[in-house]
């Protein structure tokens, strides 16, 4: 991490974020390894010192194995210790039914576990998470309500740091996730109204791992019962049709339990199922 490289707008924003942490001695950052939480973690380390900041990584079947590994690697670059917080949202019937409030129940479980188990053990004065100013204007992020309920700080959105500015700060800090694509949890691959189960999450995780092993830069595996629908960046779709790669993807999908493996010609559409339920609500 190269803090000295901050300058101009990025330095001004970093100082504003630091001001939001004034009076905090020890901070826990709800951390996923994505660009938002990693940038907040880095700015917190800059403001408070690495010894006074803890990265709190929620771990459950909805966290992809690959994302878990990457989160630890990025925290090591930043110099922050990681505490894994094992959550059990999957045992909550309100989470399992997978409606528009699923993210609320997930975040509520995480922040509850942090409050019950972590704050005292690590003598934290506050907990923060990486909501940016663009997130704050969206209506498909019910997890923000859980943050409000648990009095979790949101320094980036409070000072108006947009997603683009988050990435600019991350580049200035030389964070390896500066240009990392969004990586929603595995449960987001299950259509709303269809139950989220550990078995479905395992199938998704296994097949996505197999896609990355074939050298693709990003992917989503949508779970449609016996069908695993793979979304890829549009400029990489042609590679999926190369005989050797196609055969490997089909074999991997069937090995993990799908009867059929398909490639979505529309490519990756982040937040696809959230957008569908929002559009349905707006028509109503």
């Amino acid at each position: 991490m190269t803090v000295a490289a901050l300058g101009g707008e990025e330095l001004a924003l970093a100082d504003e974020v630091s001001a939001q942490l004034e009076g905090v001695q020890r901070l826990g950052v709800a951390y996923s390894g994505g660009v938002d939480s990693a940038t907040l973690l880095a700015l917190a380390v800059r403001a408070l010192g690495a010894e006074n900041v803890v990265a709190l990584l929620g771990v459950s079947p909805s966290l992809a194995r690959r994302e878990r590994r990457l989160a630890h690697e990025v925290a090591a670059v930043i110099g922050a210790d990681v505490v894994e917080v094992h959550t059990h949202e999957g045992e909550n019937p309100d989470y399992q039914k997978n409606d528009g409030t699923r993210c609320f129940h997930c975040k509520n479980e995480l922040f509850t576990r942090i409050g019950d188990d972590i704050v005292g053990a690590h003598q934290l004065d506050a907990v923060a998470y990486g909501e940016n100013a663009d997130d704050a204007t969206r209506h498909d992020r019910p997890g923000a309500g859980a943050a409000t309920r648990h009095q979790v700080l949101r320094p980036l959105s409070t000072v108006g740091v947009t997603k683009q500015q988050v990435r600019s700060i991350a580049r200035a800090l030389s964070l390896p996730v500066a240009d990392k694509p969004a990586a929603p949890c595995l449960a987001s691959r299950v259509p709303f109204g269809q139950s989220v189960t550990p078995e479905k999450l395992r199938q998704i995780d296994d097949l996505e791992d197999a896609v990355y092993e074939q050298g693709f830069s990003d992917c989503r595996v949508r779970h449609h019962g016996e069908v695993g629908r793979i979304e890829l960046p549009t400029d990489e779709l042609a590679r999926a049709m190369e005989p050797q790669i196609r055969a490997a993807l089909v074999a991997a999908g069937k090995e993990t339990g799908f009867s059929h493996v398909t490639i979505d010609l529309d490519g990756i559409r982040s937040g696809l199922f959230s957008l569908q339920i929002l559009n349905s609500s707006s028509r109503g």
Side-chain angles (χ1 to χ4, degrees), residues 54-115:
V54 180
L56 306 174
L57 177 64
V59 175
S60 75
S62 69
L63 176 67
R65 295 186 297 269
R66 181 174 183 271
E67 293 300 318
R68 187 177 182 178
R69 293 192 300 268
L70 288 172
H72 279 273
E73 292 169 6
V74 173
V77 170
I78 294 170
D81 290 336
V82 176
V83 172
E84 292 194 341
V85 183
H86 290 268
T87 61
H88 303 278
E89 65 276 5
E91 299 173 9
N92 181 350
D94 290 327
Y95 174 88
Q96 293 169 2
K97 69 183 181 182
N98 194 22
D99 61 14
T101 66
R102 186 196 65 231
C103 290
F104 168 82
H105 298 296
C106 180
K107 282 290 192 295
N108 189 58
E109 165 72 3
L110 173 63
F111 294 142
T112 298
R113 294 280 172 182
I114 289 172

Side-chain angles (χ1 to χ4, degrees), residues 35-37 107 129-145 154 156-157 160-164 166 182:
V35 64
D36 295 318
S37 64
K107 282 290 192 295
Y129 87 122
E131 178 188 80
N132 63 57
D134 295 328
D135 292 337
T137 66
R138 291 178 55 173
H139 302 292
D140 61 336
R141 291 185 176 264
R154 50 191 92 191
L156 298 176
S157 64
V161 183
T162 65
K163 186 74 170 192
Q164 182 177 349
V166 167

Side-chain angles (χ1 to χ4, degrees), residues 27-58:
L27 179 72
V29 175
Y31 170 72
S32 67
V35 64
D36 295 318
S37 64
T39 300
L40 176 59
L41 181 66
L43 293 179
V45 166
R46 172 182 179 266
L48 305 176
E51 69 278 8
N52 294 315
V53 179
V54 180
L56 306 174
L57 177 64

